[in-house]
Amino acid sequence: MNSVFRDAYAERRTAMLAASGPVIVQNGDGLVFLHRGERLERPATNGRYHELKAVAHVPFALYLLLSGVDGPIDEALRGKLVSYEALLRAVLSTIDGRFSDAAQRERQRRIMTRSLALIEQATRERRLAPTTLGAFVRSQRADVVENVRDAAYQNVMTLHAQVTAWAARMTPEERARLRVVIGTAHMARPGNLAFQYFAAWLGEPSAGRAADERIAEGARIIVAENIFDADRSIALFGTHLVDRAAAAAFFDEPLRLDRDLLSDAAEEAVRTLFGGAPTQ
């Protein structure tokens, strides 16, 4: 019986997706646009974004490698540092050709140079104190924050250019029906950059850096947590379509299946077992 249910559910989801309005899916570095039976794929980021991100990750990588060290550095870790040093030196030699903006160029050189200095000290002395690592992290903080700011700007502007181009293909009616699915890691869900952008573009309420998915009947943005595949994100959108229609039909509550179907009865059962009432 459950097999019949699952097959019927999948068929209904496919049918509702085919009949839905346009959809934009953002998954990591990619954007997918479903419109009138056509599927278009474009990048959500650009090369400069990735360069800024990669350099900002260098101090973070060293922090991760060295944060457990308090004293001698073993040979295995020393070998990793020596290999990483060679990679950083190769990249440092390309910075001038990558960054035409003087402020950005010098910032990347500072981040890389400080990182190389820490590696040189650690491999030479074969030991490291937590205070040394702490001072290194503090010295990098301001430049890393600036890289993050510049990378976010690049990401937002790339999104905006592509979404604007796709909007020109839509009628006003289609734009009003547009839905957006955003893939994000669990820790990056609050304040997600793409969520903030699409909320502003669609005119949806947003709390800025504290933004999270608004569970509401007419919400036009769906967050696909820990889903980084466009087809799975589209399937999730179809699940929302089916569940909200079914919830309205069975429970007269369109959002009833946006939480665990067992949640109401679970509350009663848990209160019976343990007593008390849930904190609101």
mmCIF file of all heavy atoms in Angstrom, residues 121-140:
data_model
loop_
_atom_site.group_PDB
_atom_site.id
_atom_site.type_symbol
_atom_site.label_atom_id
_atom_site.label_comp_id
_atom_site.label_asym_id
_atom_site.label_seq_id
_atom_site.Cartn_x
_atom_site.Cartn_y
_atom_site.Cartn_z
ATOM 1 N N GLN A 121 58.219 29.809 10.440
ATOM 2 C CA GLN A 121 58.571 29.740 11.860
ATOM 3 C C GLN A 121 58.277 28.359 12.430
ATOM 4 O O GLN A 121 59.103 27.772 13.136
ATOM 5 C CB GLN A 121 57.803 30.803 12.646
ATOM 6 C CG GLN A 121 58.066 30.747 14.153
ATOM 7 C CD GLN A 121 57.221 31.766 14.923
ATOM 8 O OE1 GLN A 121 56.614 32.662 14.341
ATOM 9 N NE2 GLN A 121 57.177 31.628 16.240
ATOM 10 N N ALA A 122 57.096 27.837 12.109
ATOM 11 C CA ALA A 122 56.693 26.545 12.665
ATOM 12 C C ALA A 122 57.582 25.410 12.161
ATOM 13 O O ALA A 122 57.960 24.516 12.942
ATOM 14 C CB ALA A 122 55.233 26.273 12.310
ATOM 15 N N THR A 123 57.920 25.418 10.877
ATOM 16 C CA THR A 123 58.754 24.341 10.332
ATOM 17 C C THR A 123 60.207 24.466 10.769
ATOM 18 O O THR A 123 60.910 23.464 10.943
ATOM 19 C CB THR A 123 58.669 24.311 8.797
ATOM 20 O OG1 THR A 123 59.012 25.595 8.265
ATOM 21 C CG2 THR A 123 57.267 23.939 8.341
ATOM 22 N N ARG A 124 60.651 25.696 10.969
ATOM 23 C CA ARG A 124 62.037 25.913 11.411
ATOM 24 C C ARG A 124 62.209 25.509 12.871
ATOM 25 O O ARG A 124 63.158 24.799 13.235
ATOM 26 C CB ARG A 124 62.421 27.383 11.214
ATOM 27 C CG ARG A 124 63.869 27.689 11.634
ATOM 28 C CD ARG A 124 64.214 29.163 11.431
ATOM 29 N NE ARG A 124 63.449 30.040 12.299
ATOM 30 C CZ ARG A 124 62.457 30.841 11.892
ATOM 31 N NH1 ARG A 124 62.101 30.868 10.624
ATOM 32 N NH2 ARG A 124 61.814 31.616 12.758
ATOM 33 N N GLU A 125 61.293 25.959 13.722
ATOM 34 C CA GLU A 125 61.409 25.689 15.152
ATOM 35 C C GLU A 125 60.838 24.326 15.535
ATOM 36 O O GLU A 125 61.086 23.840 16.636
ATOM 37 C CB GLU A 125 60.702 26.791 15.936
ATOM 38 C CG GLU A 125 61.315 28.177 15.717
ATOM 39 C CD GLU A 125 60.582 29.276 16.464
ATOM 40 O OE1 GLU A 125 59.576 28.970 17.143
ATOM 41 O OE2 GLU A 125 61.014 30.438 16.374
ATOM 42 N N ARG A 126 60.028 23.761 14.634
ATOM 43 C CA ARG A 126 59.394 22.451 14.865
ATOM 44 C C ARG A 126 58.537 22.443 16.139
ATOM 45 O O ARG A 126 58.362 21.407 16.776
ATOM 46 C CB ARG A 126 60.446 21.333 14.930
ATOM 47 C CG ARG A 126 61.212 21.164 13.632
ATOM 48 C CD ARG A 126 62.321 20.141 13.769
ATOM 49 N NE ARG A 126 63.085 20.033 12.542
ATOM 50 C CZ ARG A 126 62.879 19.110 11.592
ATOM 51 N NH1 ARG A 126 61.918 18.215 11.750
ATOM 52 N NH2 ARG A 126 63.637 19.084 10.511
ATOM 53 N N ARG A 127 57.996 23.568 16.469
ATOM 54 C CA ARG A 127 57.097 23.677 17.613
ATOM 55 C C ARG A 127 56.284 24.956 17.459
ATOM 56 O O ARG A 127 56.643 25.863 16.702
ATOM 57 C CB ARG A 127 57.852 23.657 18.945
ATOM 58 C CG ARG A 127 58.808 24.793 19.150
ATOM 59 C CD ARG A 127 59.650 24.592 20.426
ATOM 60 N NE ARG A 127 58.813 24.420 21.609
ATOM 61 C CZ ARG A 127 58.682 23.271 22.286
ATOM 62 N NH1 ARG A 127 59.340 22.192 21.904
ATOM 63 N NH2 ARG A 127 57.926 23.211 23.363
ATOM 64 N N LEU A 128 55.179 25.015 18.183
ATOM 65 C CA LEU A 128 54.318 26.203 18.110
ATOM 66 C C LEU A 128 53.560 26.347 19.416
ATOM 67 O O LEU A 128 53.084 25.353 19.984
ATOM 68 C CB LEU A 128 53.331 26.082 16.942
ATOM 69 C CG LEU A 128 52.520 27.345 16.629
ATOM 70 C CD1 LEU A 128 53.403 28.356 15.885
ATOM 71 C CD2 LEU A 128 51.304 26.999 15.773
ATOM 72 N N ALA A 129 53.457 27.581 19.877
ATOM 73 C CA ALA A 129 52.658 27.877 21.069
ATOM 74 C C ALA A 129 51.298 28.413 20.642
ATOM 75 O O ALA A 129 51.191 29.125 19.637
ATOM 76 C CB ALA A 129 53.371 28.911 21.931
ATOM 77 N N PRO A 130 50.243 28.091 21.381
ATOM 78 C CA PRO A 130 48.910 28.617 21.049
ATOM 79 C C PRO A 130 48.884 30.132 20.970
ATOM 80 O O PRO A 130 48.124 30.703 20.177
ATOM 81 C CB PRO A 130 48.033 28.101 22.197
ATOM 82 C CG PRO A 130 48.739 26.870 22.681
ATOM 83 C CD PRO A 130 50.209 27.166 22.523
ATOM 84 N N THR A 131 49.711 30.810 21.773
ATOM 85 C CA THR A 131 49.717 32.279 21.726
ATOM 86 C C THR A 131 50.217 32.788 20.376
ATOM 87 O O THR A 131 49.763 33.828 19.890
ATOM 88 C CB THR A 131 50.603 32.839 22.849
ATOM 89 O OG1 THR A 131 51.904 32.227 22.785
ATOM 90 C CG2 THR A 131 49.988 32.562 24.215
ATOM 91 N N THR A 132 51.147 32.052 19.767
ATOM 92 C CA THR A 132 51.660 32.450 18.447
ATOM 93 C C THR A 132 50.563 32.327 17.398
ATOM 94 O O THR A 132 50.388 33.217 16.556
ATOM 95 C CB THR A 132 52.856 31.577 18.055
ATOM 96 O OG1 THR A 132 53.891 31.724 19.036
ATOM 97 C CG2 THR A 132 53.394 31.976 16.680
ATOM 98 N N LEU A 133 49.831 31.232 17.453
ATOM 99 C CA LEU A 133 48.728 31.046 16.504
ATOM 100 C C LEU A 133 47.648 32.100 16.733
ATOM 101 O O LEU A 133 47.090 32.651 15.780
ATOM 102 C CB LEU A 133 48.140 29.643 16.641
ATOM 103 C CG LEU A 133 47.006 29.305 15.675
ATOM 104 C CD1 LEU A 133 47.472 29.384 14.230
ATOM 105 C CD2 LEU A 133 46.436 27.919 15.982
ATOM 106 N N GLY A 134 47.358 32.416 17.998
ATOM 107 C CA GLY A 134 46.351 33.427 18.297
ATOM 108 C C GLY A 134 46.743 34.794 17.749
ATOM 109 O O GLY A 134 45.909 35.509 17.180
ATOM 110 N N ALA A 135 48.006 35.148 17.885
ATOM 111 C CA ALA A 135 48.476 36.428 17.359
ATOM 112 C C ALA A 135 48.393 36.448 15.836
ATOM 113 O O ALA A 135 48.038 37.475 15.233
ATOM 114 C CB ALA A 135 49.912 36.670 17.811
ATOM 115 N N PHE A 136 48.699 35.321 15.207
ATOM 116 C CA PHE A 136 48.597 35.219 13.747
ATOM 117 C C PHE A 136 47.155 35.441 13.288
ATOM 118 O O PHE A 136 46.910 36.217 12.353
ATOM 119 C CB PHE A 136 49.082 33.845 13.301
ATOM 120 C CG PHE A 136 48.702 33.489 11.892
ATOM 121 C CD1 PHE A 136 49.373 34.044 10.809
ATOM 122 C CD2 PHE A 136 47.670 32.596 11.649
ATOM 123 C CE1 PHE A 136 49.014 33.705 9.505
ATOM 124 C CE2 PHE A 136 47.310 32.258 10.359
ATOM 125 C CZ PHE A 136 47.978 32.821 9.282
ATOM 126 N N VAL A 137 46.220 34.791 13.941
ATOM 127 C CA VAL A 137 44.810 34.934 13.554
ATOM 128 C C VAL A 137 44.362 36.376 13.702
ATOM 129 O O VAL A 137 43.700 36.933 12.811
ATOM 130 C CB VAL A 137 43.923 33.989 14.403
ATOM 131 C CG1 VAL A 137 42.444 34.298 14.180
ATOM 132 C CG2 VAL A 137 44.216 32.532 14.049
ATOM 133 N N ARG A 138 44.719 37.018 14.799
ATOM 134 C CA ARG A 138 44.333 38.416 15.000
ATOM 135 C C ARG A 138 44.935 39.325 13.943
ATOM 136 O O ARG A 138 44.298 40.285 13.486
ATOM 137 C CB ARG A 138 44.723 38.873 16.408
ATOM 138 C CG ARG A 138 43.883 38.243 17.512
ATOM 139 C CD ARG A 138 44.153 38.917 18.857
ATOM 140 N NE ARG A 138 45.529 38.729 19.311
ATOM 141 C CZ ARG A 138 45.950 37.671 19.984
ATOM 142 N NH1 ARG A 138 45.114 36.681 20.283
ATOM 143 N NH2 ARG A 138 47.217 37.580 20.378
ATOM 144 N N SER A 139 46.163 39.025 13.536
ATOM 145 C CA SER A 139 46.819 39.864 12.533
ATOM 146 C C SER A 139 46.138 39.765 11.170
ATOM 147 O O SER A 139 46.224 40.691 10.362
ATOM 148 C CB SER A 139 48.294 39.469 12.399
ATOM 149 O OG SER A 139 48.444 38.243 11.695
ATOM 150 N N GLN A 140 45.468 38.648 10.914
ATOM 151 C CA GLN A 140 44.826 38.419 9.617
ATOM 152 C C GLN A 140 43.367 38.880 9.583
ATOM 153 O O GLN A 140 42.785 39.015 8.503
ATOM 154 C CB GLN A 140 44.860 36.918 9.270
ATOM 155 C CG GLN A 140 46.254 36.331 9.111
ATOM 156 C CD GLN A 140 46.845 36.618 7.741
ATOM 157 O OE1 GLN A 140 46.588 37.657 7.135
ATOM 158 N NE2 GLN A 140 47.647 35.688 7.239
#
